[in-house]
């Protein structure tokens, strides 16, 4: 018998006795008995379990554990609660003048949350309470939604949201604004859980009357002499939402036509051109309203609205009417160029809100492409029908100071009506637009400066005067600046660039479109620079200066 056969069991009994001898290495040795604990406690314990005999002191039962959703114990509509004091101390923020709440809140927002000054409040009674934190955050988000949907810049929206929270005693809050999303986070202290709420902005509309009403609400909330409750704020906000537009639909359509007619006079048109551009813009406005009622996106609304002015200009050329067809088409483009969104987008980029700025500029690009598609379709049709459109026609335009100044003021006035501004601001913005065109004409036609430099200086004055007027009225600066830049919009450069592309002159067309883009950027940068200069004159204080990011210092 071999050695392997000798080791193998030969029967079931032998195999059973052989298996019983094999034990696990985790089995207990014979003779070692583990003591069993009484009460059926498990043998294994966690390393995080407390050792026996160690008692953890419990907090007194009289003071329950606080929650982030509970009412702030230090609530006051006039005085802020104490905040965390950093080791380096609290910097002193000196506001040398009685500046509006926009500057005060912007100064606070540009500081880190741990360095924001918070005065020590007086002792409060135990039964004194205020609104719950989630309700305050909800009101803040609703106010920010109206401001962002109305075209306000991201930094101004954050300043308004911070002012609302601070007026109800919530100092340690951080608002965050993007193009379609609003969020805010509040942390009662360094050891409490933060509360975060958000809201999505899905619909946008141009109503500067509603925007001014929201600014007045925030101004009343941030006024230390006005103790407004949360219920009163909600009631006023509901009234603002229910308010109807100040102008009926037929007034808006008429204003669109007058705007196009005034723009055609700026580029050399006469009375016939004025009427033709007016009819084309009114027809395009009605078609855009029809598309909006059918639920079509704004891209197609701009495309449809750009077709009637171009069609009327081509029809006049085919009929051998002695008019400037380019002025008719250019006037129709002025009523469609998205100057408001362009200024807001560049302003967000200059103030550091790059995501919002990119989204706004992308929106402007889509609107512009829609206008390009609508005009190019009609220009291609006109070229195929034999219409002789001259791209160099605008070079022979002679300056007419009186007529052009009057047309610029009419354009600003009608633009203000289209933006649904309050009637009390229409006169101021009309004068601001007239001053902007006088400065542009003096520099470009008389001083022979480049159109980009002339546009930038004129837009800077618009931003400066608009910001000063808004500070005088303690309101938003948009109603005083947006309509005033209407005469400076690059309508003629846009039209001649499209016309050159339609006539297979791509190089000349791209040069003209590049000029239009440069003029648009000059307008936006000039308006923002004028606004910043006005804030600089008010001497807000050293804490109000924005700190440079580390990457701009080279590391």
């Amino acid at each position: 018998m071999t050695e392997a056969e000798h080791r193998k069991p030969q029967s079931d009994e032998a195999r059973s006795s052989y298996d019983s001898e094999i034990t696990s290495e985790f089995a207990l040795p014979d003779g070692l008995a583990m003591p069993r604990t009484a009460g059926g406690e498990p043998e294994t314990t966690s390393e995080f379990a407390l050792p026996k005999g160690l008692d953890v002191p419990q907090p007194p039962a009289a003071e329950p554990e606080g929650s982030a959703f509970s009412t702030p114990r230090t609530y006051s509509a006039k005085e802020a609660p104490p905040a965390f004091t950093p080791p380096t101390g609290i910097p002193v923020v000196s506001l040398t003048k009685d500046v509006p709440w926009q500057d005060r809140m912007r100064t606070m927002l540009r500081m880190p949350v741990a360095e924001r000054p918070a005065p020590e409040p007086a002792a409060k009674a135990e039964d004194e309470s205020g609104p719950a934190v989630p309700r305050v955050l909800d009101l803040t988000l609703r106010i920010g939604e109206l401001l962002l949907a109305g075209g306000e810049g991201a930094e101004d929206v954050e300043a308004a949201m911070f002012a609302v929270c601070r007026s109800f005693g919530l100092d340690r809050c951080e608002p965050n604004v993007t193009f379609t999303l609003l969020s805010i986070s509040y942390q009662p202290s360094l050891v409490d859980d933060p509360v975060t709420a958000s809201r999505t902005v899905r619909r946008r509309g141009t109503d500067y009357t509603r925007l001014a009403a929201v600014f007045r609400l925030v101004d009343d909330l941030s006024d230390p002499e006005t103790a407004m409750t949360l219920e009163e704020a909600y009631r006023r906000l509901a009234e603002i939402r229910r308010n109807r537009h100040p102008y009926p639909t037929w007034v808006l359509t008429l204003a669109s036509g007058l705007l196009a007619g005034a723009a055609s006079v700026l580029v050399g048109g006469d009375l016939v051109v004025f009427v033709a551009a007016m009819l084309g813009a009114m027809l395009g406005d009605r078609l855009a309203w029809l598309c909006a009622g059918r639920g079509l996106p704004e891209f197609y609304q701009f495309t449809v609205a750009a077709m009637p002015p171009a069609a009327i200009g081509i029809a006049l050329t085919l009929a051998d009417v002695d008019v400037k067809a380019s002025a008719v088409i250019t006037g129709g483009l002025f009523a469609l160029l998205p100057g408001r969104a362009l200024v807001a987008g560049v302003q967000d980029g200059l103030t550091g809100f790059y995501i919002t700025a990119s989204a706004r500029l992308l929106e402007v690009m889509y609107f512009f492409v829609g206008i390009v598609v609508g005009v190019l379709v009609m220009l291609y049709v006109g070229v195929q029908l034999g219409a002789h459109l001259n791209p160099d026609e605008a070079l022979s335009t002679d300056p007419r100071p009186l007529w052009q100044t009057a047309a610029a003021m009419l354009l600003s006035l009608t633009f203000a009506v289209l933006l649904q501004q309050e009637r009390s601001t229409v006169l101021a913005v009309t004068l601001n637009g007239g001053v902007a065109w006088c400065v542009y004409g003096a520099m470009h036609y008389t001083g022979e400066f480049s159109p980009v430099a002339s546009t930038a200086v004129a837009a800077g004055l618009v931003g400066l005067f608009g910001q000063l007027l808004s500070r005088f009225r303690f309101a938003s600066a948009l109603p005083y600046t947006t309509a005033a830049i209407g005469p400076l919009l690059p309508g003629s450069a846009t039209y001649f660039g499209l016309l050159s592309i339609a006539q297979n002159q791509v190089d000349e067309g791209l040069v003209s479109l590049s000029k239009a883009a440069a003029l648009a950027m000059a307008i936006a940068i000039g308006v923002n620079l004028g606004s910043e200069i006005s804030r600089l004159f008010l001497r807000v204080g050293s804490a109000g200066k924005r700190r440079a990011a580390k990457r701009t210092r080279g590391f």
Side-chain angles (χ1 to χ4, degrees), residues 173-500:
C173 62
E174 283 292 337
N176 187 20
V177 177
T178 58
F179 185 59
T180 58
L181 182 64
L182 298 170
S183 62
I184 187 168
S185 178
Y186 168 69
Q187 188 175 12
S189 66
L190 295 178
V191 296
D192 290 330
D193 296 331
V195 185
T196 303
S198 62
R199 194 174 184 88
T200 302
V201 180
R202 302 187 184 277
R203 296 181 59 86
R204 301 178 182 273
T206 304
D207 189 346
Y208 282 0
T209 299
R210 178 180 296 175
L211 189 69
V214 176
F215 261 76
R216 285 193 294 268
L217 173 60
V218 178
D219 184 48
D220 292 340
L221 285 172
S222 58
D223 188 3
E225 299 180 359
T226 304
M228 183 181 297
T229 63
L230 188 67
E231 287 72 18
E232 294 176 355
Y234 267 111
R235 178 184 57 80
R236 288 186 54 178
L237 187 63
E239 292 178 355
I240 292 172
R241 286 182 175 273
R242 287 195 302 265
N243 282 344
R244 301 181 62 183
H245 297 304
Y247 306 103
T249 304
W250 67 269
V251 173
L252 299 180
T253 302
L254 180 62
S256 178
L258 291 176
L259 189 153
S264 65
V265 175
L266 286 179
V267 294
D270 52 11
L271 182 59
V272 178
V273 172
F274 180 91
V275 175
M278 180 177 174
L279 293 177
M282 293 175 65
L283 180 59
D285 181 76
R286 287 292 85 197
L287 291 177
W289 277 98
L290 180 61
C291 293
R294 299 293 182 179
L296 289 178
E298 287 184 298
F299 175 86
Y300 301 104
Q301 297 177 27
F302 276 82
T303 302
V304 172
M307 289 183 176
I312 292 179
I314 293 173
L316 293 176
T317 303
L318 292 174
D320 292 333
V321 180
D322 189 14
V323 295
K324 289 185 177 180
S326 60
V328 177
I329 303 176
T330 301
L333 291 179
F334 265 87
L336 299 176
L337 293 177
R340 173 183 58 88
L342 174 66
V343 172
V346 175
Q347 179 182 356
D348 289 340
L350 294 176
T351 52
F353 294 84
Y354 301 113
I355 297 178
T356 308
S358 301
R360 288 187 188 272
L361 294 178
L362 184 62
E363 181 187 38
V364 171
M365 186 192 72
Y366 272 104
F367 291 162
F368 189 77
V369 170
I371 298 172
V372 168
V373 171
V375 175
L376 277 181
V377 168
M378 302 310 300
L379 290 180
Y380 275 121
V381 173
V383 170
Q384 296 298 324
L385 294 177
H388 299 286
L389 300 173
N390 185 13
D392 298 329
E393 188 176 1
L395 298 178
S396 61
T397 301
D398 297 327
R400 298 173 296 174
L402 295 179
W403 283 101
Q404 289 179 333
T405 302
M409 297 178 66
L410 177 60
L411 193 152
S412 299
L413 188 148
T414 53
F415 203 175
V417 173
L418 288 176
L419 294 174
Q420 303 281 359
Q421 292 189 196
E422 292 180 310
R423 293 179 174 87
S424 59
T425 63
V426 171
L427 179 60
V429 74
T430 301
L431 296 177
N432 200 6
V435 171
W437 180 260
C438 290
V439 173
Y440 172 81
M443 293 186 63
H444 179 56
Y445 295 114
T446 305
E448 296 182 353
F449 286 88
S450 67
V452 177
S454 304
T455 301
V457 174
L461 290 178
V462 168
L464 177 61
F465 293 156
Q467 192 67 230
L468 293 178
L469 288 172
S470 68
R471 291 171 182 276
F472 178 73
R473 299 289 299 272
F474 286 88
S476 172
L478 287 180
Y480 299 98
T481 57
T482 305
I485 65 173
L488 305 177
L489 293 176
S492 58
T494 303
Y495 162 69
F496 288 109
L498 299 179
L499 179 58
S500 298

Side-chain angles (χ1 to χ4, degrees), residues 535-553:
R535 296 192 185 103
L536 182 63
F537 285 158
L538 290 177
R539 297 184 302 172
V540 177
S542 59
K545 298 180 181 179
R546 184 182 292 104
R547 297 182 178 181
K550 289 186 177 181
R551 60 178 179 274
T552 62
R553 303 180 192 146

